[in-house]
Amino acid sequence: MQKACKHLKDADLEKLEAICVRHRKGKGAVIPILQEIQDIFGYIPEDCVNFVADRLEIARSHFYGVATFYSQFHFTPRGKNIVTACSGTACHVKGSEKLISILGRELGIPEGQDTSPDLNFTLEKVNCVGACSIAPVIIINNVVHGKMNGNKVAKEVIKLKGAGSDDGK
Amino acid sequence: MENNGEKIEIKVCMGPVGITSGGQDVLDAFGDELKRNGISAELGKNCTRHKVGCKGFCSRDVLVDVIIDGSRTTYQYVKPDMVARIVEEHIVGGVPVAGWEVKEDYRAFHDRQLKVVLSDCGEIDPEDIDAYIEAGGYGAAKKALAGMAAEEVIEAMKKSGLRGRGGAGFPTGVKWETARKQPPGLKYVICNADEGDPGAFMDRAVLEGNPHAVLEGMIVAAYAVGAEEGYVYIRAEYPLAVERLKIAIAQARNRNLLGKNILGTGLNFDIKVKLGAGAFVCGEETALIASIEGQRGMPRAKPPFPVVSGLWGKPTVINNVETLANIPYIIRRGADWFSSLGTEKSKGTKIFALTGKVRNTGLIEVPMGMSMRDIIFSIGGGIEGGKKFKAVQMGGPSGGCIPEHLLDVKVDYENLMKLGAIVGSGGMIVLDEDDCMVNVAKYFLNFTQTESCGKCVPCRIGTKRLYEILDRITKGEGKESDLALLEKLSKDVRQASLCGLGQTAPNPVLSTLQYFRHEYEAHIFEKKCPAKACKALITFRIRKEVCKGCGACVRVCPAAAISGREKAPHTINPSACIKCGSCYDVCRFTAVRKIKIRSKK
């Protein structure tokens, strides 16, 4: 256990400890625990999983088995700005693929990856956000933008990059 | 205001689209303007202003109802800066603002609908339990718990003819009866709110617009089957639905509608919320149970069915959101009333998410048995942009397409099944002449092969191979033998897969092969995409004689493939072009053309 948490700061350990206490008695707590870890760190650091697994005496492999099954969990750090492109059916037939390729290029996301090397942007696809009547839909840092097109996407990217250089957000 | 005793109600649509279009700002603006006009003193007495869930006609959002003494005016496309005039002229002056109201198409959109589940959605404040109670809410729970035996409730459900709205259409009463007959002990009621079908948002709208109806349905279900614990398994992608659901649960607990000895009837029942983690297969009931138990969400073989052995091995009733939201209305108004709606075997109404290339996109509720043509052309207003209708896709990745010549089909479970489509959860995506049906099938198979949990071979490998064949065809690399291979493999995957995901995954292929075989043949034999949608089989060119050199295309081109001097005709460099079509969309002079090319292969 010592080895597992060598990279973790005390403050982080406290938060993890709180998660363990909260879920000590709950059945089926693995998914909520992973969700809480991701809420704190933005992704799922290996050290955290190992710490929690050992603490609750649940096999680490069980955590990894569950975490790798669900698309919501990420094992690498994510960008400061999260851009989510809906690729549900309605968005698809209204040109979401095109928007995704524009976003990928404009945000500087390398082929086959989802986060820019400077960790400023993460571009992810989601199956459907349920806002089909305003397809195609892009979500930028939790704000939903409907009826998008190439022009509007390009404008949003410029805004996003401007905001990024101003205050580092 | 108080002097003449007028009752004023202002309802601002804050469904998913209402919020996106600025619903909160509009609601705030009404607050500010009412205060400025001195009406706010009356707020809570004669004038109320509140948010409502999805009003259905999402493409007109933000929609605002102003109701003065029961006389309703609905405004469309409302922006915060329009609010001052509405307050001054209409609420203070008494004359509705001309030109801002909804038009004829809004009436056409609503007139053919029949709202049961959505009757309170879009009318009441979803975060206010009193609003629901005032509309008759929790009357069904009281009626069932205090005045009906559990068996009577089950009998009523059976008599009503209600069938599961999640897609499979299993009779709800029969499911409850089986669960009730299990030996006494711990039993569970689960609300399946893992609405994963792309193109479907009915459950989201119900949970966000009237969460108490779902809770009430669960309470009645718990009473009928003898359950003490309930779960709502909901997608994490629906944060607002989760929030409103949690608010509703807390309010219901406060009123002793959840918890111990509910309403003094001796029933103990409480509900927990479990968030999904982004796996489509978890909509399948055994996978959903595995996910609540903290496992990988993989389905298992049935039987035993969950009603016999479900969550933690206990009898478990799993009903979909819309199914549960029907229950309060059935108990309140009676099984006979419900079974008088719909067709012989499909009773009641169904909510559909009408989207795609249709003019009036939104959320609709119609009686079972309405013709598809009525839905798309009367309610939906036909195809947008004067294009030609090609097909409507029903039931998402498990469903199929219905072509033009079958549009008069009466929509119910049996009829759609016969045509190779399904009612499914209710996504209805309209496709026009620009959509390639091979590409549509490929889209769904890409979806299912990604979402396959990998447990059984036919689904894990079969859907991948189906996708690869379709991908090859859309690239102009299809072989003559591919059509027979697609059919054979589809049937194998359908027969041999473990769960519904695999068993229905080939439907989009089989259905498009059945009705649009000529499109497959054009791709394979002529190496052409008739709809000009498949990238490998088209190219973009700028017509020199039409191009004004405005530069709009240059600005949107993500590949920097377009060049030309200002006010002189531009050209596209074919080797740099990624065929995204941005230039085609943006050109105001229709100078950019899509041209079919034969694949070089």
Side-chain angles (χ1 to χ4, degrees):
Chain A
M1 205 181 87
Q2 284 308 314
K3 194 167 174 260
C5 53
K6 66 177 177 190
H7 300 303
L8 295 170
K9 294 186 209 106
D10 285 349
D12 293 340
L13 283 173
E14 247 167 60
K15 287 177 195 157
L16 291 173
E17 190 63 46
I19 292 177
C20 293
V21 169
R22 225 176 359 259
H23 292 287
R24 188 169 299 276
K25 285 188 187 144
K27 279 196 285 185
V30 171
I31 294 170
I33 289 172
L34 288 166
Q35 283 166 336
E36 285 177 32
I37 293 177
Q38 186 155 290
D39 280 346
I40 297 171
F41 298 93
Y43 71 109
I44 308 222
E46 206 179 319
D47 286 344
C48 296
V49 174
N50 295 346
F51 176 83
V52 174
D54 294 351
R55 202 87 183 83
L56 294 175
E57 294 177 355
I58 297 172
R60 292 177 179 185
S61 60
H62 182 58
F63 272 93
Y64 289 113
V66 170
T68 51
F69 183 84
Y70 296 96
S71 63
Q72 199 189 68
F73 298 121
H74 310 280
F75 296 95
T76 46
R78 319 250 295 146
K80 282 177 213 149
N81 298 286
I82 311 282
V83 180
T84 309
C86 181
S87 46
T89 320
C91 290
H92 177 78
V93 300
K94 292 215 168 177
S96 65
E97 242 178 285
K98 168 171 50 193
L99 302 184
I100 292 165
S101 79
I102 295 174
L103 280 168
R105 276 154 191 269
E106 297 294 315
L107 296 174
I109 315 279
E111 199 82 27
Q113 293 177 28
D114 61 4
T115 299
S116 60
D118 59 7
L119 288 182
N120 261 331
F121 304 104
T122 289
L123 173 62
E124 61 182 14
K125 284 201 256 181
V126 61
N127 282 334
C128 184
V129 296
C132 316
S133 40
I134 46 165
V137 173
I138 304 284
I139 303 171
I140 300 171
N141 294 328
N142 292 324
V143 180
V144 179
H145 299 260
K147 295 184 181 169
M148 293 303 277
N149 56 38
N151 251 337
K152 286 196 201 169
V153 164
K155 273 182 201 153
E156 289 301 330
V157 169
I158 291 168
K159 259 195 241 168
L160 205 54
K161 284 186 168 167
S165 61
D166 282 351
D167 54 16
K169 255 189 212 164
Chain B
M1 283 294 137
E2 203 178 20
N3 295 344
N4 47 28
E6 281 177 335
K7 190 174 185 311
I8 301 167
E9 255 189 296
I10 301 160
K11 302 181 179 187
V12 179
C13 179
M14 281 180 64
V17 176
I19 289 177
T20 305
S21 312
Q24 185 65 51
D25 294 341
V26 171
L27 186 66
D28 292 345
F30 269 104
D32 296 345
E33 285 302 322
L34 291 172
K35 202 180 282 175
R36 205 166 61 83
N37 283 279
I39 305 168
S40 65
E42 302 303 322
L43 271 176
K45 284 191 208 160
N46 288 332
C47 178
T48 56
R49 152 193 84 96
H50 61 81
K51 61 176 146 323
V52 295
C54 182
K55 293 184 68 66
F57 207 172
C58 310
S59 42
R60 298 291 182 273
D61 266 321
V62 177
L63 288 160
V64 176
D65 281 334
V66 175
I67 308 166
I68 301 180
D69 279 345
S71 159
R72 181 188 298 247
T73 306
T74 305
Y75 293 101
Q76 62 181 7
Y77 300 122
V78 177
K79 299 266 169 267
D81 57 10
M82 294 160 69
V83 171
R85 217 178 123 192
I86 295 175
V87 170
E88 271 162 38
E89 294 183 18
H90 188 179
I91 294 171
V92 178
V95 184
V97 183
W100 287 2
E101 304 119 302
V102 289
K103 305 288 183 290
E104 193 55 43
D105 57 356
Y106 186 80
R107 214 163 301 133
F109 182 81
H110 283 289
D111 278 356
R112 300 295 304 274
Q113 295 192 49
L114 178 66
K115 295 200 174 185
V116 174
V117 177
L118 296 179
S119 57
D120 295 319
C121 196
E123 292 296 329
I124 61 170
D125 184 337
E127 293 176 17
D128 179 5
I129 190 169
D130 287 320
Y132 181 61
I133 291 172
E134 203 172 301
Y138 288 109
K142 280 175 197 150
K143 183 175 171 186
L145 269 56
M148 294 167 85
E151 287 77 10
E152 283 177 278
V153 175
I154 289 173
E155 205 44 52
M157 293 317 296
K158 282 166 74 177
K159 207 170 148 207
S160 75
L162 176 66
R163 295 167 65 177
R165 298 294 194 242
F170 190 81
T172 307
V174 177
K175 195 184 260 186
W176 288 12
E177 190 174 43
T178 317
R180 170 134 201 108
K181 284 182 179 159
Q182 300 309 309
L186 196 53
K187 292 175 189 175
Y188 294 99
V189 170
I190 296 176
C191 168
N192 184 348
D194 192 45
E195 184 175 50
D197 273 11
F201 56 94
M202 297 76 51
D203 295 348
R204 172 178 180 175
V206 171
L207 283 167
E208 292 181 1
N210 194 3
H212 284 289
V214 180
L215 299 185
E216 189 177 7
M218 289 181 76
I219 294 167
V220 174
Y223 174 68
V225 305
E228 290 207 351
E229 282 183 40
Y231 286 92
V232 180
Y233 185 87
I234 182 168
R235 295 180 84 200
E237 287 90 338
Y238 288 175
L240 182 65
V242 174
E243 186 191 320
R244 288 191 180 158
L245 189 62
K246 286 182 171 167
I247 292 172
I249 290 174
Q251 290 174 340
R253 278 188 194 135
N254 264 337
R255 303 294 174 95
N256 188 223
L257 289 156
L258 288 174
K260 298 272 178 224
N261 190 19
I262 292 173
L263 301 174
T265 60
L267 176 73
N268 301 327
F269 181 66
D270 209 349
I271 297 173
K272 289 185 189 132
V273 175
K274 279 272 178 181
L275 294 189
F280 173 68
V281 70
C282 288
E284 198 281 339
E285 51 186 13
T286 59
L288 185 153
I289 288 171
S291 183
I292 293 182
E293 291 175 350
Q295 312 286 334
R296 291 163 72 90
M298 290 166 124
R300 61 161 173 80
K302 292 188 278 191
F305 288 93
V307 279
V308 176
S309 174
L311 186 62
W312 319 110
K314 303 292 180 200
T316 303
V317 164
I318 303 181
N319 286 135
N320 148 278
V321 170
E322 189 183 336
T323 314
L324 288 164
N326 263 294
I327 288 160
Y329 300 96
I330 295 174
I331 298 287
R332 259 151 62 187
R333 300 176 71 171
D336 290 330
W337 160 77
F338 189 80
S339 66
S340 72
L341 310 171
T343 62
E344 195 199 333
K345 288 184 174 168
S346 304
K347 301 298 185 190
T349 59
K350 177 79 192 89
I351 308 179
F352 291 105
L354 187 58
T355 63
K357 309 288 181 68
V358 67
R359 200 170 281 142
N360 306 335
T361 55
L363 194 73
I364 62 167
E365 182 173 359
V366 295
M368 289 277 192
M370 182 178 267
S371 88
M372 192 66 99
R373 193 180 297 281
D374 274 350
I375 294 176
I376 295 171
F377 289 89
S378 298
I379 297 175
I383 308 303
E384 61 176 8
K387 298 268 184 173
K388 203 167 162 293
F389 172 87
K390 182 181 271 184
V392 54
Q393 208 286 339
M394 292 277 310
S398 313
C401 294
I402 292 167
E404 163 114 61
H405 72 276
L406 295 173
L407 268 185
D408 290 313
V409 61
K410 307 267 181 260
V411 176
D412 73 5
Y413 291 102
E414 276 72 26
N415 284 338
L416 290 189
M417 193 78 89
K418 266 183 247 158
L419 298 180
I422 55 168
V423 170
S425 52
M428 207 178 244
I429 294 141
V430 178
L431 306 172
D432 70 8
E433 56 188 292
D434 292 336
D435 292 304
C436 165
M437 300 311 284
V438 187
N439 190 35
V440 167
K442 180 177 103 168
Y443 166 81
F444 283 116
L445 264 294
N446 183 34
F447 178 86
T448 37
Q449 65 106 10
T450 311
E451 292 295 339
S452 171
C453 79
K455 185 171 182 173
C456 74
V457 175
C459 176
R460 181 179 73 232
I461 299 173
T463 55
K464 189 158 185 63
R465 292 291 102 85
L466 282 171
Y467 168 73
E468 287 166 359
I469 297 166
L470 293 167
D471 187 46
R472 193 162 76 211
I473 295 174
T474 58
K475 286 180 176 154
E477 296 161 21
K479 292 180 282 203
E480 196 180 343
S481 58
D482 280 345
L483 292 174
L485 182 60
L486 277 175
E487 272 168 348
K488 169 83 171 61
L489 186 54
S490 289
K491 283 172 187 158
D492 290 347
V493 172
R494 175 190 274 182
Q495 278 181 359
S497 292
L498 176 63
C499 82
L501 192 156
Q503 286 160 11
T504 59
N507 286 352
V509 184
L510 290 168
S511 147
T512 48
L513 267 174
Q514 185 179 355
Y515 300 118
F516 298 94
R517 201 179 182 89
H518 54 278
E519 292 201 16
Y520 281 84
E521 288 168 348
H523 284 76
I524 293 174
F525 301 117
E526 297 164 44
K527 310 291 179 203
K528 277 183 181 167
C529 175
K532 299 188 213 171
C534 294
K535 276 188 193 175
L537 303 176
I538 51 164
T539 189
F540 288 88
R541 248 174 242 156
I542 296 174
R543 291 187 288 174
K544 283 199 171 67
E545 64 279 16
V546 186
C547 179
K548 309 271 188 228
C550 71
C553 54
V554 178
R555 286 191 290 276
V556 295
C557 180
I562 305 175
S563 54
R565 283 204 320 271
E566 205 179 323
K567 294 188 179 159
H570 285 40
T571 50
I572 299 174
N573 170 8
S575 59
C577 176
I578 58 164
K579 299 179 185 175
C580 69
S582 295
C583 51
Y584 179 83
D585 292 340
V586 81
C587 182
R588 284 183 292 135
F589 311 101
T590 59
V592 183
R593 289 179 65 202
K594 255 192 249 181
I595 300 164
K596 281 184 246 183
I597 52 164
R598 286 176 69 105
S599 156
K600 291 184 189 81
K601 287 177 185 145

